[in-house]
């Protein structure tokens, strides 16, 4: 049970803990918890974790809330698109927990069999442009030839993360004595960028494209008209023109309550503190 994260691009201490354990801690399997009511937004993290090539299962929670909002999710289609098992769940009613436990047990058995036979059915969920894929492959071969690194990180994930210049990784690899790998990354990145390809934008863009494609293939129903009450309130409070005036009005109301309403009780509080309480 790791700290919550929306991405493996660690930008906070909590996300660093989650990322380092997932990609460097050697978990037996990873359960990716996705909110069914915000599937596309949450799929970005799922694509990154699937790129680690670790045994993975998606726990699709709040499926009842999605249905109440008119959002239909084809679980079989979602699993086929992701290439990993998907278990629909309603956690507050404990629905799906036994199924999730069984899927995890099956994953552990399949992983042991794969390790024993040396076989793997890994496929790449996100395919990048050919020029970028060539750079990923070249860096991946360099990683697999670097003992200080290959025993700790999945090679394809690390190749993509290095080209994306994810935070903290350079320091970790430099401390591990993998300076030659970082130099090779710099050379490959410069070659790709010299052809007009922005690495960070391209990598993120393709992940978002995959998330959008999967969502479109596996969902049906909901429109803006069926948005939740919270969505409708947010649309007003975060409106480009109304948001700031509403914020200022709320701050004024808080100030008035603090000075006018609470002021009547200040003498009583002062008397209680200066009198009976101070004599205790």
């Amino acid at each position: 049970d790791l700290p919550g994260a929306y991405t493996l691009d660690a930008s906070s201490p909590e996300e660093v803990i989650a990322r380092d354990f997932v990609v460097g801690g050697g978990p037996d399997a990873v359960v990716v918890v996705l909110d069914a009511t915000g599937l596309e937004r949450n799929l970005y993290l799922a694509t990154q974790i699937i790129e680690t090539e670790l045994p993975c299962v998606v726990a699709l929670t709040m499926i009842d809330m999605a249905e109440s909002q008119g959002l239909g999710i084809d679980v079989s289609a979602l699993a086929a698109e992701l290439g990993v098992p998907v278990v629909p769940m309603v956690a507050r009613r404990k629905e799906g927990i036994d199924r999730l436990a069984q899927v995890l047990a099956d994953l552990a058995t399949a992983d042991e069999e794969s390790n024993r036979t040396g076989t793997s059915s890994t496929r790449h969920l996100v395919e990048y442009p050919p020029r970028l894929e060539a750079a990923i492959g070249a860096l991946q071969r360099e990683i697999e030839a670097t003992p200080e690194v290959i025993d700790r990180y999945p090679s394809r994930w690390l190749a993509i993360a290095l080209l994306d210049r994810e935070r903290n990784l350079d320091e970790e690899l430099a401390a591990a004595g993998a300076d030659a790998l970082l130099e090779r990354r710099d050379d490959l990145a410069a070659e790709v960028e010299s052809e007009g390809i922005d690495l960070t934008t391209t990598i993120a863009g393709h992940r978002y494209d995959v998330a959008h494609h999967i969502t479109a293939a596996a969902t049906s129903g909901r429109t803006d008209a069926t948005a939740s009450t919270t969505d409708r309130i947010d649309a007003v409070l975060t409106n480009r023109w109304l948001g700031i005036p509403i914020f200022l009005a709320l701050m004024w109301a808080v100030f008035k309550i603090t000075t006018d309403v609470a002021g009547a009780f200040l003498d009583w509080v002062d008397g209680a503190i200066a009198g009976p309480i101070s004599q205790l």
Side-chain angles (χ1 to χ4, degrees), residues 143 145-153 172-173 175-179 181:
I143 291 167
T146 307
E148 303 90 342
V149 173
I150 190 56
D151 291 337
R152 180 174 181 184
Y153 299 103
E172 293 175 15
L173 295 182
D179 294 311
L181 178 59

Side-chain angles (χ1 to χ4, degrees), residues 267-278:
D267 291 340
W268 180 85
V269 172
D270 181 62
I273 294 175
I277 293 179
S278 65

Side-chain angles (χ1 to χ4, degrees), residues 59-83:
L60 189 63
T61 63
M62 298 182 69
I63 194 75
D64 56 333
M65 290 294 295
E67 292 172 351
S68 70
Q69 295 174 13
L71 177 62
I73 299 179
D74 186 333
V75 174
S76 297
L78 181 59
E81 290 287 342
L82 289 172

